């Protein structure tokens, strides 16, 4: 065993040397595909693929030792450093906005279309630095690189659903197991600040080639848009980085008439003016309409199976590719009928802030039975009551439709739940799955500091699978289906007036305390208790009784001392608080001064002397 | 309302008619109730104090101030070869060097120069001894200086040369603004920047590995006692400038003002994000085909022959105007050699390696390698500035902690400070014997002290000023304490009154007794 290990290490080091000694061959290809959708929208997908030939991921056991020097030409160094620093074998990051309409648009070309941010990575386990430490470092490094809040994909959102997220590439045989880490953040908003670093990873940035079409003003105006980064390793090729940008735009919305015409100018408000000089291939692929008369300009390089291909390098510049359809767009009969083998709906029912019910409806559109792997990676904000899980198929209770269940319960304040099972859908059947859930009560520090609309729950992931595994299925088994995200409203205290709340709460406490105190010490100050002098309760003897101006008895009753005074004090506190608002801002100013001085001294430590 | 309620109670319950009959209105019960409240408050005070106070361990202030008083002194011993023909004696040379030291004390600060005879016995035990031998030319070899001693009145010339070799910098402690701050680990990032590849005539590859192994690696291997290095390289194809170069009759020119903003950090992705180590950048800038040749202008707007410039503490930039064009767009080695020799010069300047004084030849095996004189001077310079930097940082921490009373000081901060102090103390001990060890300890001291200074735990409670605490506590505690306080005061007053009353009664009784006695007597 040990000899084997050493031999492997030696082999690895020989490989490293060979890697370090000669610069690696690198290849960069870019591609844009544009296809019209049935509901008049146009889907476009940019794909930028960089291949580092012959390279292999870093063995996690070599972390801590000096790494090989990294010399790249078109491969992005910024990403390469992160991959090697944390010894990541495979990485997928996607940042999407909008709901992908599977029923109308079918499966997307890049499967990762869940709302918000999603990050999953396969890493070798068994290094000195634990896989969770590396995962933490990885997500923080990527957060810095892509200006996204990936840092909050912490332990409270991290799961290991290996079955639904199988590696797309190969995993090296290092003799140590590979593990997956997955986390998603549905509330992440994707915007220009994420696109800019994305473009900087491209060899031609957005200055030339297909990437020059990536105009943030238009892309983020699209009905659906998403970017993703994929890193994987193929044994026979090397390390591959694929950067993709998908968008679904609506020409019917922007055009004056009801035409599905599109061109680079109309979709992106840009044209390709120059070729990216380092791109091995630079292609545009357009899916041609299957009906009606149309014209495409300029003439494609080749047309195959309804796909028109263009080579950007040979085309005349500026290239403003456009498809013009004769006649207005008309919805075809059945444009709304689902294309995917099944459709899914997931809802959270119940208006209470403590309980609810999770419901999933799956409809099989095929005439064959389907098996679906259903995965929930639910933060502990919502906790499942598994014993209430019920499955109905076409109205009748069928709990046997569920098999292969795996459940890791959530740990409040630390770990999300992972729930995974296989659901069998009869041909054309509708499956209802319901489960009661409890909504958590948060600690006050766990509430976000800003105004919020509720908590986004990550999408469920459904993937088809074939139990007989004879591979004769006509539908894609490797594609994942993301349900839309859910919004849950948890019990939220009123944070709007903290100081008022403090004052009023304290007044109440003081009042209650005073009542108690009063009972215990009734009359004690007002009446001298020497025997024989005190006669009637409620009136006090001469010492504490004085006459007021009108000649009536003026009495300092205990309630004044015990309840009214505190309330007056608190009211004074409240007033002082209002004035103090001013003085607090002054003290904050002074604090800022101190902090600034401190920061200055951090940068110039000698300033203190 | 409570009073009304009490009155109501009083009218219904016969017991309540006389409060003195209530069991809890017995003096001792009432007083013990009130004192119980105060007892609990007083007992809770230490707990409250303990739970709300921040951890503020005491710092070894005395040791820090004591340490700052001790300067690091590094002995430098030079052995003069005894030659019967030579009139120069060690004491003469010592006097001459001492005169130099008196003239520019800043430059020699912390150095103790001793000139010995090579024959003398104490030479045997001196580590890192420099020797001066007689020869025909001024040259250095290892730790040996060859000097034409025989040629007449050369004593001041020899002293000057020794001075330039031993103390090459203007000051031992003041940092040269070009030199990067000391770090045990640097990243060297080599970047080939094509301003605009799409305009044509650009480089897609360069034989950077070969160039690094020939020009940079020899330097790095000599400096391995001081720093570790990680090397990385990349090529970029679109690297626009943030300004437009000025058009001159022969191509384009960059003015000295433009050089200061030459690096376009917004568009050039040069920085590393994966680690916190300082990065030294080395950039080859290939101007766009539309803007060639690109020259550096002097302040008068005239063209200069130089093609490279150094950005202090950041790195070096070489502007490369391709001469002729070859079809495989690989940067030829012939063009890469001058670029990388410029880079190696930049690297030496950035790391603070002193140059050999003019007129001194390097007679070692490898003419490009650094001599021991240079390396030792660098080690002394880094040790001095590290020791000084570490002391300054320690002093800053102590001042800071004294100044900001809310600043927590945890065990890790104190541990780091003690570690830094221990290293400094140890450094003073070994400074007489080993230069490398002195440097190693000074590096450790500066690392530990800056880690203590930047400890994130020290910032934790800085943002909770006392005003805010009072704002939160007062409404609760003030209003709860007032009744207690008033109750205690009144109880006290009534107790005193009672005592007075009793005294009066006793007095009256005794008077009565006296009166009755006197009346009885009468």
């Amino acid at each position: 065993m040990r000899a084997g290990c050493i031999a492997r290490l030696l082999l690895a080091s020989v490989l490293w040397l060979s890697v370090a000694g000669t610069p690696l061959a690198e290849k960069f290809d870019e591609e844009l595909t544009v296809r019209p959708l049935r509901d008049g929208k146009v889907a476009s997908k940019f794909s930028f693929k960089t291949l580092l030939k012959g390279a292999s991921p870093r063995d996690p056991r070599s972390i801590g030792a000096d790494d090989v020097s990294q010399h790249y030409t078109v491969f992005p160094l910024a990403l390469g450093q992160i991959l090697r620093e944390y010894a990541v074998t495979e990485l997928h990051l996607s940042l999407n906005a909008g709901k992908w309409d599977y029923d109308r648009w079918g499966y997307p070309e890049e499967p990762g279309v869940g709302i918000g941010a999603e990050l999953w990575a396969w890493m070798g386990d068994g290094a000195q630095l634990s896989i969770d430490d590396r995962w933490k470092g990885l997500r923080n490094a990527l957060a810095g690189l892509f200006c996204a809040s990936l840092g909050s994909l912490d332990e409270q959102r991290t799961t290991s659903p290996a079955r639904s997220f199988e590696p797309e590439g190969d995993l090296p045989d290092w003799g140590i197991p590979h593990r997956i880490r997955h986390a998603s953040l549905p509330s992440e908003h994707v915007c220009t600040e994420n696109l800019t670093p994305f473009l900087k990873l491209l060899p031609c940035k957005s200055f030339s080639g297909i990437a020059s079409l990536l105009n943030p003003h238009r892309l983020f105006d699209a009905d659906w848009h998403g970017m993703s980064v994929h890193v994987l390793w193929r044994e026979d090729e090397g390390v591959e980085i694929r950067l993709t940008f998908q968008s679904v735009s609506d020409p019917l919305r922007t055009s004056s008439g009801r035409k599905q015409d599109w061109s680079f100018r109309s979709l992106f408000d840009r044209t390709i003016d120059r070729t990216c000089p380092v791109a091995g291939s630079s292609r545009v692929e357009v899916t041609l309409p299957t009906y009606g008369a149309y014209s495409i300009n300029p003439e494609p390089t080749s047309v195959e199976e309804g796909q028109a291909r263009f080579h950007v390098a040979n085309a005349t510049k500026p290239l403003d590719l456009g498809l013009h359809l004769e006649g207005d767009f008309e919805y075809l009969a059945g444009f709304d009928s689902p294309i995917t083998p099944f459709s899914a709906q997931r809802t959270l029912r119940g208006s209470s802030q403590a309980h609810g019910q999770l419901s999933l409806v799956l409809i099989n559109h095929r005439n064959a039975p389907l098996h679906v792997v259903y995965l929930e990676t639910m933060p502990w904000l919502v906790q499942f009551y598994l014993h209430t899980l019920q499955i109905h198929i076409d109205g009748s209770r069928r709990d046997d439709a569920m098999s292969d269940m795996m459940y890791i319960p959530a740990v409040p304040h630390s770990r999300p739940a992972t729930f995974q099972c296989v659901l069998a859908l009869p041909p054309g059947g509708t499956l209802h799955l319901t489960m009661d859930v409890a909504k958590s009560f948060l600690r006050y520090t766990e509430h976000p500091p800003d105004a919020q609309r509720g908590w986004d729950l990550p999408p469920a992931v459904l993937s088809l699978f074939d139990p007989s595994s004879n591979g004769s299925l006509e539908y894609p088994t490797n594609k994942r289906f993301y349900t839309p995200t859910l919004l849950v409203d948890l019990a939220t205290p009123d944070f709007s007036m903290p100081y008022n709340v403090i004052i009023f709460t304290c007044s109440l406490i003081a009042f209650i305390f005073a009542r108690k105190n009063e009972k215990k010490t009734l009359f004690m100050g007002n009446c001298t208790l020497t025997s024989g002098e005190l006669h009637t309760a409620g009136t006090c003897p001469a010492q504490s009784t004085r006459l007021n101006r009108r000649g009536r008895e003026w009495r300092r009753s205990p309630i004044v001392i015990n309840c009214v005074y505190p309330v007056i004090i608190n009211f004074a506190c409240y007033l002082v608080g209002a004035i103090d608002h001013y003085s607090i801002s002054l003290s904050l100013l002074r604090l800022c001064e101190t902090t600034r001085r401190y920061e200055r001294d951090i940068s110039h430590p000698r300033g203190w002397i | 309302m409570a009073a009304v309620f009490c009155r109501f109670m009083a009218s219904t319950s016969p017991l309540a008619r006389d409060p003195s009959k209530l069991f809890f209105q017995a003096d001792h019960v009432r007083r013990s109730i009130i004192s119980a409240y105060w007892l609990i408050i007083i007992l809770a005070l230490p707990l409250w104090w303990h739970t709300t106070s921040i951890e503020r361990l005491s710092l070894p202030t005395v040791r820090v101030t004591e340490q700052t008083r001790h300067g690091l002194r590094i002995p430098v011993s030079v052995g003069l070869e005894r030659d019967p023909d030579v009139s120069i004696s060690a004491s003469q040379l010592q006097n001459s060097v001492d005169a130099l030291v008196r003239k520019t004390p800043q430059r020699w600060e912390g150095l103790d120069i001793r000139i010995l005879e090579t024959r003398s016995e104490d030479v045997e035990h001196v580590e890192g001894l420099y020797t001066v031998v007689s020869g025909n030319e001024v040259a250095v070899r290892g730790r040996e200086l060859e000097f034409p001693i025989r040629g007449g009145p050369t004593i001041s010339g020899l002293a000057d040369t020794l001075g330039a070799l031993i103390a090459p910098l203007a000051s031992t402690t003041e940092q040269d603004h070009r030199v990067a701050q000391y770090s045990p680990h640097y990243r060297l990032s080599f970047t080939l920047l094509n301003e605009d590849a799409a305009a044509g005539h650009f480089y897609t590859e360069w034989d950077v590995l070969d160039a690094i192994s020939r020009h940079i690696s020899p330097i790095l291997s000599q400096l391995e006692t001081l720093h570790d290095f990680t090397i990385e390289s990349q090529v970029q194809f679109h690297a626009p400038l943030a300004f437009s170069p000025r058009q001159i009759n022969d191509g384009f020119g960059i003015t000295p003002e433009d050089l200061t903003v030459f690096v376009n950090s917004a568009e050039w992705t040069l920085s590393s994000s994966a680690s916190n180590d300082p990065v030294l950048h080395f950039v080859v800038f290939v101007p766009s085909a539309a803007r060639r040749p690109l020259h550096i202008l002097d302040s008068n707007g005239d063209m200069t022959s130089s093609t490279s410039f150094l950005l202090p503490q950041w790195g070096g930039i070489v502007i490369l105007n391709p001469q002729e064009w070859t079809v495989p767009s690989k940067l030829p080695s012939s063009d890469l050699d001058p670029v990388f020799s410029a880079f190696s010069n930049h690297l030496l300047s950035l790391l603070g390696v002193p140059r050999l004084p003019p007129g001194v030849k390097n007679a070692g095996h490898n003419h490009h390698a650094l001599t021991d004189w240079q390396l030792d001077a660098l080690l002394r310079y880094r040790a001095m500035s590290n020791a000084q930097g570490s002391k300054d940082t320690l002093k800053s921490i102590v001042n800071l902690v004294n100044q900001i009373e809310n600043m927590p000081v945890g065990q890790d901060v104190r541990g780091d400070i003690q570690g830094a102090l221990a290293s400094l103390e140890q450094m003073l001990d070994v400074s007489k014997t080993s230069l490398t060890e002195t440097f190693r300890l000074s590096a450790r001291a500066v690392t530990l002290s800056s880690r203590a200074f930047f400890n994130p735990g020290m910032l934790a409670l800085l943002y909770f000023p006392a005003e805010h605490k009072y704002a939160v506590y007062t409404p609760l505690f003030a209003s709860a304490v007032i009744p207690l306080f008033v109750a205690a005061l009144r109880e006290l007053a009534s107790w005193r009154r009672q005592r007075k009353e009793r005294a009066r009664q006793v007095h009256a009784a005794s008077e009565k007794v006296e009166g009755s006695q006197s009346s009885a007597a009468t």
Side-chain angles (χ1 to χ4, degrees):
Chain A
M1 183 62 201
R2 170 162 284 191
C5 268
I6 291 170
R8 202 172 289 127
L9 276 178
L10 274 176
L11 185 68
S13 57
V14 168
L15 277 175
W16 288 128
L17 285 179
S18 67
V19 166
T22 53
L24 295 158
E26 294 169 41
K27 196 161 161 280
F28 173 69
D29 298 306
E30 52 179 13
E31 194 187 29
L32 165 65
T33 56
V34 185
R35 66 184 168 110
L37 299 169
R38 294 187 301 165
D39 59 353
K41 298 192 170 56
V42 173
S44 44
K45 179 198 152 207
F46 295 81
S47 168
F48 307 94
K49 199 157 97 178
T50 310
L51 182 68
L52 201 58
K53 278 184 194 155
S56 53
R58 188 178 186 185
D59 189 331
R61 285 168 297 184
S62 69
I63 289 179
D66 278 349
D67 194 17
V68 289
S69 304
Q70 299 178 60
H71 299 282
Y72 300 129
T73 311
V74 290
F75 195 85
L77 176 66
L79 196 55
Q81 281 175 335
I82 293 174
L83 295 174
R84 292 204 70 85
E85 176 84 17
Y86 303 107
V88 180
T89 306
E90 186 166 323
L91 167 88
H92 300 269
L93 166 71
S94 58
L95 296 163
N96 304 313
K99 183 186 127 190
W100 184 269
D101 194 340
Y102 285 91
D103 283 355
R104 290 187 177 186
W105 305 340
Y107 278 114
E109 288 177 68
E110 285 294 336
V113 292
I115 297 173
E118 185 188 36
L119 174 69
W120 53 287
W122 281 91
M123 289 179 277
D125 196 4
Q128 276 185 324
L129 202 60
S130 83
I131 199 159
D132 287 314
D133 289 338
R134 280 153 59 208
W135 167 248
K136 184 179 172 191
L138 173 72
R139 58 179 198 246
N140 286 330
L142 288 174
L145 187 61
F146 288 103
C147 299
S149 3
L150 302 176
S152 44
L153 294 174
D154 51 6
E155 304 74 45
Q156 301 192 21
R157 296 193 168 265
T158 303
T159 52
S160 315
R163 186 163 182 180
S164 298
F165 295 91
E166 284 181 353
E168 282 181 23
D170 300 322
L171 298 179
D173 178 24
W174 288 321
I176 50 173
H178 268 79
R179 299 201 197 287
I180 187 183
R181 288 290 179 271
H182 172 273
S184 59
L185 192 67
S187 53
E188 175 71 12
H189 295 282
V190 188
C191 204
T192 321
E193 77 266 21
N194 309 117
L195 181 67
T196 311
F198 177 88
L199 288 174
K200 282 187 179 174
L201 297 179
L202 301 174
C204 290
K205 298 174 183 167
S206 63
F207 290 100
S208 60
I210 287 174
S212 57
L213 295 176
L214 288 168
N215 176 4
H217 292 283
R218 281 308 178 86
L219 293 173
F220 295 119
D221 182 41
D223 287 19
W224 187 93
H225 53 84
M227 63 178 86
S228 54
V229 179
H230 307 272
V231 180
L232 45 103
W233 175 70
R234 287 190 223 283
E235 198 164 6
D236 47 347
E237 287 185 341
V239 175
E240 178 189 303
I241 289 189
R242 201 171 72 244
L243 297 147
T244 60
F245 197 103
Q246 298 184 100
S247 74
V248 176
S249 12
D250 191 358
L252 301 182
R253 172 159 64 94
T254 43
S255 72
S256 50
R258 294 193 52 78
K259 280 178 171 291
Q260 208 186 1
D261 290 4
W262 60 264
S263 65
F264 284 169
R265 180 65 68 187
S266 75
L267 288 181
F268 310 114
D269 200 22
R270 285 202 186 151
T271 52
I272 301 179
D273 297 339
R274 302 188 294 179
T275 319
C276 175
V278 284
S281 71
S282 185
R283 292 189 311 168
V284 180
E285 211 171 283
V286 177
T287 307
L288 298 172
T290 48
Y291 61 93
Y294 63 88
S295 62
I296 189 160
N297 180 45
E299 202 56 35
T301 319
S302 67
V303 179
E304 275 173 38
E305 295 166 357
Q307 303 277 334
R309 287 218 174 84
F310 297 83
H311 290 288
V312 174
N314 308 334
T316 46
K317 306 286 175 338
L319 177 62
D320 182 13
L321 190 62
L323 185 81
H324 176 71
L325 288 140
E326 304 292 329
D328 285 356
F329 172 75
E330 280 172 21
Y331 288 101
L332 291 180
F335 84 97
D336 229 3
S337 66
I339 318 179
T340 44
F342 67 95
S343 21
Q345 264 185 338
R346 191 175 63 139
T347 41
L348 195 64
R349 297 182 194 155
S351 56
S352 140
Q353 284 188 327
H355 296 285
Q357 191 181 47
L358 183 75
S359 146
L360 177 79
V361 180
L362 292 177
I363 306 165
N364 186 353
H365 302 306
R366 296 291 166 97
N367 289 323
L370 287 178
H371 287 85
V372 178
V373 179
Y374 168 48
L375 171 75
E376 286 280 1
T377 52
M378 190 60 80
W380 56 267
L381 305 171
V382 166
Q383 288 167 25
F384 298 148
Y385 288 129
L386 219 57
H387 67 280
T388 61
L389 193 146
Q390 288 186 359
I391 294 174
H392 290 86
I393 291 177
D394 298 328
S396 56
R397 178 97 184 248
R398 284 281 302 280
D399 284 350
D400 59 314
M402 186 182 81
S403 57
D404 287 4
M405 196 197 75
M406 190 269 285
Y407 178 56
I408 302 170
V411 175
H413 311 287
S414 71
R415 189 180 72 188
T418 314
F419 174 74
Q420 184 180 273
C421 64
V422 176
L423 298 172
L425 292 165
T430 304
L431 182 145
H432 286 261
L433 181 149
T434 55
M435 188 171 15
D436 288 356
V437 295
K439 298 176 186 174
S440 301
F441 192 77
L442 304 191
R443 292 175 187 152
Y444 83 98
T445 46
E446 282 163 347
H447 288 277
D450 46 356
Q452 60 144 349
R453 60 195 192 110
W455 298 82
D456 289 276
L457 301 177
V461 179
L462 301 156
S463 36
L464 285 173
F465 111 104
D466 178 11
S468 58
S469 73
N470 52 12
S472 64
L473 281 181
E474 52 177 321
Y475 42 77
T477 52
N478 58 344
K479 291 205 166 171
R480 295 185 297 278
F481 185 111
Y482 289 84
T483 66
T485 54
L486 296 173
L487 196 63
V488 62
D489 191 19
L490 301 178
T492 313
D494 180 9
F495 287 115
S496 56
M497 302 180 287
Y499 197 65
N500 299 8
V501 171
I502 290 172
I503 295 278
F504 288 127
T505 321
C506 292
S507 299
L508 192 71
I509 292 174
F511 190 84
I512 294 167
F513 173 75
R515 284 293 309 274
K516 290 272 164 207
N517 192 36
E518 178 199 335
K519 278 194 170 175
K520 296 277 177 293
T521 59
L522 190 68
F523 296 141
M524 48 88 206
N526 294 0
C527 312
T528 1
L529 294 165
T530 39
S531 54
E533 269 191 57
L534 193 73
H535 303 290
T536 46
T539 51
C540 289
Q543 279 115 323
S544 59
T545 317
R546 282 184 286 169
L547 295 183
N548 67 7
R549 280 188 213 141
R550 289 194 207 140
R552 288 170 66 181
E553 245 180 35
W554 188 88
R555 200 180 301 128
R556 271 173 298 167
S557 107
I559 184 133
V560 176
I561 300 156
N562 290 329
C563 300
V564 179
Y565 282 0
V567 172
I568 290 172
I569 286 173
N570 273 1
F571 186 68
C573 279
Y574 182 65
L575 282 183
V576 170
I579 302 161
D580 205 39
H581 208 74
Y582 174 71
S583 73
I584 282 178
S585 19
L586 274 186
S587 72
L588 274 180
L589 260 181
R590 218 169 50 230
L591 185 77
C592 290
E593 192 73 18
T594 325
T595 321
R596 216 176 307 136
R597 218 179 327 148
Y598 178 66
E599 276 162 8
R600 192 194 63 209
D601 293 319
I602 277 181
S603 47
H604 305 285
R606 282 175 203 187
W608 284 93
I609 291 136
Chain B
M1 170 150 163
V4 174
F5 175 73
C6 290
R7 204 173 292 166
F8 174 71
M9 286 276 293
S11 61
T12 50
S13 159
L15 240 186
R17 279 192 178 277
D18 185 356
S20 60
K21 294 283 190 313
L22 289 172
F23 82 97
F24 56 83
Q25 289 294 19
D27 278 358
H28 69 278
V29 176
R30 199 180 58 248
R31 279 174 192 164
S32 51
I33 289 174
I34 291 170
S35 58
Y37 279 119
W38 283 103
L39 195 71
I40 287 170
I41 288 176
I42 289 164
L43 285 182
L45 273 178
L47 185 74
W48 169 78
W49 184 257
H50 178 74
T51 50
T52 55
S53 61
I54 45 172
E55 190 185 19
R56 239 172 102 86
L57 300 177
S58 63
L59 294 178
T61 319
V62 180
R63 271 173 80 193
V64 171
T65 36
E66 191 193 354
Q67 195 52 243
T68 45
R69 257 186 270 122
H70 292 298
L72 172 62
R73 297 208 71 81
I74 301 175
V76 178
S77 308
V78 181
L80 186 63
E81 191 187 66
R82 192 71 181 262
D83 193 334
D85 305 342
V86 175
S87 52
I88 299 177
S89 75
S91 55
Q92 279 175 310
L93 189 58
Q94 178 84 55
N95 286 340
S96 183
V97 170
D98 284 350
L100 273 182
V101 173
R102 273 194 299 278
K103 210 156 64 182
T104 50
Q106 274 254 300
R107 186 176 148 193
W108 299 85
E109 208 183 321
L111 299 182
D112 291 327
I113 314 288
R114 273 198 313 156
I115 312 287
L116 310 163
E117 306 272 340
T118 36
R119 296 263 179 76
S120 72
E121 280 140 25
D122 28 338
V123 163
E124 307 280 313
H125 311 292
V126 177
E127 198 187 318
L129 175 81
Y130 303 98
T131 47
V132 178
V133 296
S134 170
N136 300 322
E137 53 176 1
V138 186
V140 284
R141 190 183 298 108
R143 282 205 172 76
E144 195 177 81
L145 170 66
E146 189 180 316
F147 199 81
I149 299 175
R150 291 200 186 88
T154 52
I155 188 149
S156 65
L158 178 56
D160 281 342
T161 310
L162 277 178
L165 282 170
I166 292 167
L169 298 163
S171 162
T172 50
T173 48
E174 201 63 38
Q175 198 149 36
D176 183 350
H177 70 280
R178 286 177 307 171
V179 179
Q181 281 225 322
Y182 174 77
S183 159
H185 201 108
Y186 286 108
R187 290 183 98 93
L188 305 184
S189 161
F190 295 88
T191 313
L192 171 59
L193 282 183
N194 292 288
E195 189 189 355
D196 188 4
H201 288 194
F202 63 101
Y203 294 119
T204 51
E205 340 170 21
W206 55 335
D207 205 347
V208 62
L209 287 175
D210 175 58
I212 288 172
S213 68
R214 281 188 292 124
H215 294 273
I216 305 293
S217 300
I219 299 176
L220 302 188
S221 61
Q222 281 197 294
L223 294 175
E224 66 188 1
T225 43
L226 285 120
H227 316 279
D228 282 337
F229 298 93
T230 309
I231 299 178
E232 62 202 22
S233 81
Q234 58 174 331
V235 182
Q236 291 198 15
F237 302 95
H238 290 279
L241 293 173
F243 60 92
S244 315
R246 189 188 295 180
Q247 190 148 19
I248 52 172
N249 47 15
D250 176 28
F252 294 82
I254 317 170
T255 58
E257 293 81 58
D258 289 339
L259 288 183
T260 57
V261 292
F262 189 82
V263 178
N264 184 0
S265 343
E267 299 284 351
W268 304 358
T269 34
L270 300 176
S271 58
S272 316
S273 52
S275 81
N276 289 330
D277 299 327
V279 188
L280 300 179
H281 299 271
F282 298 95
V283 174
V284 187
F285 185 80
V286 181
S288 150
R291 279 191 193 155
R292 282 178 199 157
L294 187 65
H295 300 288
I296 297 175
L297 306 180
D298 61 15
S299 48
N300 301 325
D302 298 328
M303 216 172 77
T304 59
S305 61
S306 105
T307 57
S308 72
F309 59 99
L310 180 124
L311 288 177
Q313 305 193 15
W314 186 85
I317 295 174
V318 174
I319 294 168
L320 182 68
N321 292 303
Q323 296 301 322
E324 71 254 24
W325 203 255
T326 50
V327 177
S329 47
K330 182 173 176 170
L331 184 53
S333 298
S334 56
D335 282 354
L336 214 50
D337 275 339
V339 169
F340 269 79
S341 64
F343 280 164
S344 60
N345 276 332
H346 290 162
L347 179 65
L348 292 179
S349 307
L350 289 166
L351 294 177
V353 181
R355 303 291 154 89
L356 278 183
V360 179
K361 268 176 60 180
N362 183 355
H365 298 298
N366 184 351
H367 293 279
H368 298 292
L370 303 174
T371 61
D372 287 342
W373 293 84
Q374 286 168 287
L375 286 177
D376 286 354
L378 177 63
L379 277 175
R380 279 194 296 269
Y381 161 67
R382 285 293 194 189
M384 289 282 186
S385 59
N386 279 349
Q388 191 58 41
S390 173
K391 280 181 218 164
D392 290 350
T393 314
L394 288 178
K395 219 159 33 168
S396 301
I397 298 174
V398 169
N399 284 349
L400 195 65
V401 169
N402 286 342
Q403 213 158 347
I404 303 175
E405 278 163 12
N406 273 345
M407 184 174 267
V409 179
Q411 188 58 50
D412 42 355
V413 173
R414 188 159 76 166
D416 281 347
I417 290 174
Q418 282 167 341
L421 279 173
S423 301
L424 284 176
E425 282 157 10
Q426 231 180 321
M427 180 190 75
L428 288 183
D429 292 342
V430 298
S431 63
K432 301 280 173 292
T433 50
S434 165
L435 181 58
T436 355
E437 196 61 13
T438 308
F439 162 75
R440 200 186 59 74
L441 286 165
S442 75
R444 192 178 141 74
V446 81
T447 313
L448 286 178
S449 55
S450 68
R451 194 170 76 184
F453 191 81
F454 291 107
N455 192 302
M458 290 175 83
L459 276 174
L461 287 177
L462 210 57
Y463 294 99
F464 283 99
E467 287 92 331
H468 288 190
K469 267 185 259 170
Y470 299 142
V472 174
Y473 283 154
T474 327
L476 179 63
F477 288 114
S479 48
V481 161
I482 289 270
L484 276 182
F485 198 68
V486 173
L489 272 185
R490 288 180 161 224
E491 195 57 47
L492 202 71
S494 92
W495 172 71
R496 283 181 63 182
R497 212 162 39 225
Q498 237 175 325
R499 218 172 56 161
K500 225 180 270 170
E501 194 81 5
R502 209 168 287 152
R504 210 170 48 218
Q505 279 175 3
V506 168
H507 189 68
S510 63
E511 263 182 9
K512 223 178 190 174
V513 169
E514 265 173 40
S516 64
Q517 278 177 350
S518 63
S519 66
T522 52

